[in-house]
Amino acid sequence: MLCSQGERWGRLALTLIFFCLIMSVNATLDTYLEPLGPLSLFSRAGRPLFYGGLYLLVRKKLPEEKPRLSARLWQMVLVLAAMPLCALIAVVLLTAHRYESQMVNRVGLQQGLVILPFALLTSLMLLAAILVLAEQERLERAGRLAQLREVYYQGLRQREGQVRRLRHDLRSHLTVLAGLLEQGQTQAARAYLRELGESPALKGGARLCENETANVVLSAKAGEMERAGIRLDLAVSLPRDLPVADTDLAALLGNALDNALEGVGQGEGRRVTVRCRADKGLFMLRVENTLGGPVRPDLATTKADREAHGLGLPGMGEIARRYHGTLEAGVREGRFQLVVCLLLGGPQP
């Protein structure tokens, strides 16, 4: 409980579950194998045999990552873990002392034969339930992330389409301006020009790389950082044709820069550094930002609405795994650094 990390409700629930599992096995071995021979021999041999066999039985089903449940689900698991704990406490208190009545001792031992296996099976079932709930949560997060990626990408594409349409209509705007000037309506022409000048479509945007999707995302985020007064050091070299799905690329770049925008805070000297390139079958992305505050050990979002936010790093990690890549994130030399590397052989299901 003290040495583990993560949600405190989850740590407490797992502590109680493993306590019940270990105590039920050890109590059974120490109490009911005593008539068979020396207690220490059977007890010491039985424990590693049981735990070793249990590990061999379930090792293929163990998750690669630690289970991630919401606080509400962890609290529910904690309440369920109280059942084997209470049953275990009852049988231990009942059999802790030798009573003068042999009948009482016999009843206590018989109850232990029922309650101890019940506590063991309940603990195992709770651990299995945690894995099932964690998998369900993972699938739900993946679904939400996929939906967010698609909405985010479609929004950027729609914005780019609007920009193209406005640029396409530039000739019509020039025709209107020429007509106003020919009629001597200089004030109306100036107002029309002022209105056009405020349109972001006519301002265009810097060509940051050859890849259209990356260029749209990076241009949008560069504009946000410029308006926020954040210094952006950007160097991107991506080809027009990249064997990464547009939705994945948009989510990867967008989430990385969104996290950097959140991480720099509101202080002075805010800076974000972005390095991204595709070379020799690898896609490499490195984003660094100055720290605007403390970073949680689990890298969770600092926003109050954790159900709606905090999906960036898990989403990028899911993308990295599908491309047989890696994701590393953490504080390095006083700066937060995110490094993503993907194999450009195509995503795997």
Side-chain angles (χ1 to χ4, degrees):
M1 176 64 187
L2 296 177
C3 299
S4 57
Q5 297 180 352
E7 182 71 38
R8 64 178 181 274
W9 297 112
R11 291 156 52 199
L12 181 57
L14 287 175
T15 298
L16 294 184
I17 291 173
F18 277 104
F19 173 80
C20 294
L21 188 152
I22 294 171
M23 286 298 295
S24 60
V25 173
N26 294 353
T28 301
L29 294 175
D30 292 347
T31 303
Y32 297 99
L33 295 185
E34 182 178 4
L36 301 181
L39 175 61
S40 59
L41 175 62
F42 283 97
S43 178
R44 292 177 182 176
R47 295 177 186 182
L49 287 176
F50 177 83
Y51 296 126
L54 180 62
Y55 171 74
L56 293 176
L57 182 65
V58 302
R59 63 175 181 173
K60 293 183 178 180
K61 298 182 180 180
L62 294 177
E64 297 180 359
E65 299 180 353
K66 64 179 182 180
R68 298 179 63 228
L69 299 181
S70 63
R72 178 176 56 84
L73 289 178
W74 278 126
Q75 291 171 5
M76 182 186 70
V77 173
L78 178 60
V79 172
L80 294 176
M83 294 192 303
L85 178 65
C86 293
L88 189 64
I89 291 175
V91 72
V92 168
L93 291 178
L94 188 61
T95 59
H97 303 284
R98 293 290 185 181
Y99 298 94
E100 295 182 0
S101 173
Q102 294 295 326
M103 179 65 68
V104 174
N105 292 326
R106 190 177 305 110
V107 169
L109 291 176
Q110 290 175 351
Q111 288 183 346
L113 284 176
V114 176
I115 295 177
L116 290 176
F118 167 79
L120 173 61
L121 292 176
T122 305
S123 301
L124 294 175
M125 291 176 63
L126 285 174
L127 292 177
I130 290 175
L131 296 182
V132 173
L133 291 174
E135 179 64 16
Q136 183 64 28
E137 287 272 291
R138 187 191 68 80
L139 293 176
E140 291 181 1
R141 284 196 304 269
R144 292 198 302 269
L145 288 168
Q147 185 177 8
L148 287 173
R149 285 200 301 267
E150 186 64 24
V151 170
Y152 181 65
Y153 173 69
Q154 292 299 332
L156 291 174
R157 297 298 296 179
Q158 183 178 5
R159 176 181 174 182
E160 181 69 9
Q162 293 173 351
V163 170
R164 290 181 177 179
R165 286 194 297 271
L166 286 173
R167 290 179 180 175
H168 181 268
D169 294 338
L170 182 58
R171 179 172 297 179
S172 299
H173 295 312
L174 292 176
T175 302
V176 172
L177 283 171
L180 291 174
L181 291 174
E182 288 176 359
Q183 296 175 9
Q185 301 181 22
T186 56
Q187 294 297 330
R190 288 177 182 175
Y192 197 87
L193 280 173
R194 193 159 42 245
E195 183 179 353
L196 286 178
E198 294 175 355
S199 174
L202 295 181
K203 293 180 181 179
R207 192 70 179 175
L208 302 176
C209 68
E210 294 299 322
N211 186 274
E212 190 69 24
T213 299
N215 191 71
V216 171
V217 176
L218 294 174
S219 297
K221 295 305 175 184
E224 291 184 25
M225 292 187 184
E226 181 180 359
R227 290 188 293 272
I230 301 172
R231 182 180 176 184
L232 176 62
D233 181 7
L234 188 67
V236 179
S237 177
L238 295 177
R240 176 181 297 274
D241 297 323
L242 190 66
V244 176
D246 289 340
T247 53
D248 291 336
L249 183 60
L252 203 60
L253 296 173
N255 285 321
L257 294 179
D258 283 341
N259 288 344
L261 273 167
E262 178 185 348
V264 294
Q266 301 296 327
E268 297 293 333
R270 295 176 297 167
R271 177 169 179 163
V272 175
T273 302
V274 180
R275 297 290 183 267
C276 184
R277 63 191 178 95
D279 187 28
K280 298 180 180 178
L282 293 177
F283 170 90
M284 290 161 284
L285 170 66
R286 178 169 60 87
V287 179
E288 292 183 357
N289 61 268
T290 53
L291 296 177
V295 178
R296 294 172 59 95
D298 58 357
L299 303 181
T301 180
T302 57
K303 296 181 180 178
D305 189 3
R306 297 184 65 182
E307 294 295 330
H309 299 92
L311 298 176
L313 283 176
M316 288 186 284
E318 184 264 336
I319 294 173
R321 286 191 295 272
R322 285 196 288 107
Y323 287 86
H324 299 295
T326 59
L327 182 147
E328 297 179 358
V331 178
R332 306 284 190 276
E333 299 179 356
R335 295 166 63 89
F336 187 83
Q337 183 180 97
L338 170 72
V339 179
V340 180
C341 181
L342 308 181
L343 291 178
L344 297 180
Q348 299 295 321

